[in-house]
Amino acid sequence: MNAHIDSVNEAKKIINLSLSDFVKGQLPLEHMADFPVKTIPSKFTQTGKQIKVRIFAVDERVITFTKKDSLM
């Protein structure tokens, strides 16, 4: 599914995404690539950009997305 980048939190290493006005979630650093990365890749720092993600987990009201190719 396609999500839009709302904001980037460099300190917490999390990207906030939205599927719609009501459905929002987070893409943590460990789910941005199959291999470990230490910083947020530049292609994920443009707010408003549309990226393809998959829902990894739903905990209470927090949705965690993944961008790992092995899980897509």
Side-chain angles (χ1 to χ4, degrees):
M1 67 190 65
N2 294 324
H4 295 281
I5 299 174
D6 287 337
S7 63
V8 179
N9 189 335
E10 293 281 345
K12 293 184 179 181
K13 299 189 183 326
I14 291 176
I15 297 174
N16 294 311
L17 302 173
S18 64
L19 296 176
S20 68
D21 290 338
F22 301 105
V23 181
K24 298 176 188 272
Q26 299 176 341
L27 177 65
L29 184 68
E30 58 267 10
H31 284 285
M32 291 184 196
D34 282 328
F35 53 90
V37 291
K38 293 183 180 182
T39 60
I40 297 175
S42 60
K43 62 183 176 181
F44 297 140
T45 58
Q46 301 171 350
T47 57
K49 184 177 178 182
Q50 186 173 1
I51 60 172
K52 190 170 208 145
V53 294
R54 185 171 190 185
I55 294 176
F56 180 73
V58 178
D59 184 32
E60 299 277 329
R61 295 184 53 91
V62 178
I63 299 173
T64 303
F65 295 104
T66 185
K67 185 78 173 110
K68 290 185 176 184
D69 290 332
S70 61
L71 297 175
M72 296 286 281

